Amino acid sequence: MTTSSGAQRAVQRSVRANTVRAMLLVLTGSIGMQLSAVVALGLFAPLGVLGTSSLRMLIAAAILLAIFRPRVRGRSRAEWFGIVLYGVAMATMNAFLYLAVDRLPLGVATTIDFLGPCAVALVAARRVREGLLAVVALLGVALIAGFGGELDPLGLLFAGLAGAAFGLYTLLAARVGQSEGGLPGVALSVTVAAVLTLPLSVPAMPQLRPEHLLALVVSALLGTALAFTVDTIAGRLTSARVLGVFFAFDPVMGTLIGALLLGQLLTPVALCGVVLVVAAGAGIVWLAGGERRTAGPPGAGTDEPAAPAPDPAS
């Protein structure tokens, strides 16, 4: 009995440790994403919003292909389906979010965008308190956004479509992360996204100047290559349900970085939102270590991967 209890505690500690690692990875990706947006702001005028986004995707694909050198042959049809669908989600999420940001305040656009992963967390919640944590995170993001004023209907539609793609991205980050493809599969997914957005990047290329290259490369590294890579590693360590809550870091970090680097005011209401999101993230980490495990092989009876996770670069 004591041995069984000790083993259960060890499993709980391992799951909680993996969840903490996943949280830190998602946080790293969120910081990279928001910093890349700050870097890319100066490129919107010469290259266009969608041109900048698609050129970043193209550069990120080239970087990831050079680093991971993914094999093309020998992959199953199911594996290719996940890789292509992940790339479609990446391309769609980025395109519609930038279209929304062009018509809506950034806080409002990213809040609506977060509805996608939040819906994943709500639908996949197996206990009431887990669902409540997702609601708390969404409430915190809503406070950060500070809804108000007239909103562009087309912008709302674009943000909703971005959120739907973000929800799909959340599910696929866990699926691709836990697959045998690992990070080389992510490189192929980003390549799929870059190919899909070629109609946007090719027209922007004639406007590209040498002085734009450094900002583009830095933005591609931080906001695309790094963000998509760490999200996928996080998906290997935990479930889509948990990732859905952690992706609330995106608007949180946008608010904080906007205040620190762009001089945007951080209101008391927004600070309350930050506290709510952090509390939700801490709660989901704590609950992850207390989930019951059923008898059987590692990971049986749960949506969490076995711990410790294999090397994601394999």
Side-chain angles (χ1 to χ4, degrees), residues 40-106:
L41 281 175
L43 300 172
F44 287 173
L47 302 178
V49 177
L50 290 180
T52 301
S53 174
S54 56
L55 284 171
R56 282 172 44 187
M57 192 75 73
L58 194 61
I59 293 172
I63 293 171
L64 291 176
L65 287 175
I67 292 174
F68 296 112
R69 299 183 180 275
R71 59 180 175 83
V72 176
R73 296 179 178 178
R75 297 182 183 273
S76 67
R77 185 174 299 179
E79 190 176 359
W80 272 115
F81 179 77
I83 287 172
V84 171
L85 198 58
Y86 200 21
V88 170
M90 291 174 180
T92 306
M93 176 179 66
N94 278 270
F96 279 121
L97 180 60
Y98 277 104
L99 287 171
V101 168
D102 190 43
R103 293 173 173 269
L104 297 173
L106 179 60

Side-chain angles (χ1 to χ4, degrees), residues 174-202:
R175 172 176 172 171
V176 174
Q178 295 170 25
S179 71
E180 295 181 359
L183 296 184
V186 178
L188 291 175
S189 293
V190 175
T191 302
V192 170
V195 170
L196 290 174
T197 55
L198 277 177
L200 301 173
S201 58
V202 170

